[in-house]
Amino acid sequence: MTEDKFDRGSALTVFPSDRHEDFVALLIALLIALLVYLFV
């Protein structure tokens, strides 16, 4: 039996790969954390 590759769940993305998407999500999270740290 061959196992299928992991299904992303959606083909709707503007990023060429999961790695790019994860990197952008990390940068956005860090930016939000910085803004919360500065303004709260």
Side-chain angles (χ1 to χ4, degrees):
M1 281 176 51
T2 60
E3 293 186 21
D4 294 332
K5 284 184 75 176
F6 176 72
D7 184 19
R8 295 181 64 181
S10 174
L12 298 175
T13 181
V14 296
F15 300 100
S17 72
D18 285 338
R19 180 164 294 176
H20 286 94
E21 188 174 356
D22 292 342
F23 186 70
V24 171
L26 177 64
L27 289 177
I28 291 172
L30 289 173
L31 178 62
I32 292 171
L34 178 64
L35 290 174
V36 169
Y37 178 76
L38 292 175
F39 292 107
V40 174

